[in-house]
Amino acid sequence: MPPRNRVIAALALGLIAAPLLAAPADVVRTRIAGLRELGAAFKNANDALRGGDPQTIIIQQSAREIRNAARNQYQWFPAGTGRNPAWKTAAKPEIWTQAAQFRTLQDNFARAADAFQRAAASGNADAMRTNARALGATCKACHDRFKAEEKS
């Protein structure tokens, strides 16, 4: 393998393995930050979709951020990052005890994020709105089952 390819392979392996080697509290912080960024991107997209003339550039940028978060989400919930007095998380224990069901909802979200990104790239306002609603439904499905209610 040429030296350049070895460097690229080593970097890629590092990006994949890094979450596995990180301390649980660091993974939880990364997860929370990623989910906040995801929420902000989804809010920006929905705000840009309001009205008769959607702000396509903002929607396209937000859609890419959402799609990227959907790809990263699989690394955000390793075993050992559930409830703990050392950190605050709204992740329910069922994420790990019902891992197959959680993974199904993650996959649904990832597919919806890809579809929303394609709709945003098309510039078709109706397609963007339809796919934004479908994307929101995948978020809700996961939150309803696997996210604890926030306490005030």
Side-chain angles (χ1 to χ4, degrees):
M1 177 181 296
R4 180 171 186 253
N5 290 352
R6 279 185 286 219
V7 170
I8 292 170
L11 289 172
L13 180 60
L15 290 174
I16 293 167
L20 302 174
L21 302 174
D26 293 336
V27 174
V28 171
R29 280 191 287 278
T30 299
R31 173 171 69 221
I32 291 168
L35 291 169
R36 284 183 179 152
E37 289 173 11
L38 169 61
F42 195 57
K43 181 186 182 316
N44 289 341
N46 280 322
D47 289 348
L49 281 166
R50 288 192 174 89
D53 189 22
Q55 300 172 20
T56 306
I57 297 297
I58 293 171
I59 297 164
Q60 290 171 343
Q61 178 181 354
S62 297
R64 281 190 302 275
E65 291 171 13
I66 292 165
R67 184 211 50 214
N68 292 342
R71 291 176 180 172
N72 292 331
Q73 69 168 327
Y74 296 104
Q75 301 171 17
W76 293 345
F77 296 92
T81 63
R83 298 266 171 146
N84 187 309
W87 57 76
K88 182 180 176 183
T89 179
K92 287 184 175 180
E94 289 85 352
I95 287 172
W96 297 277
T97 62
Q98 299 173 11
Q101 294 89 342
F102 182 65
R103 178 60 185 242
T104 296
L105 294 179
Q106 285 182 299
D107 291 344
N108 292 345
F109 168 65
R111 280 190 295 277
D114 285 342
F116 180 60
Q117 196 277 324
R118 285 191 303 275
S122 78
N124 180 305
D126 290 335
M128 288 187 282
R129 287 186 179 100
T130 298
N131 282 278
R133 281 190 296 277
L135 179 63
T138 67
C139 295
K140 182 178 181 340
C142 195
H143 288 193
D144 287 351
R145 187 155 178 196
F146 293 108
K147 182 180 179 192
E149 289 190 33
E150 309 244 355
K151 296 179 180 165
S152 308

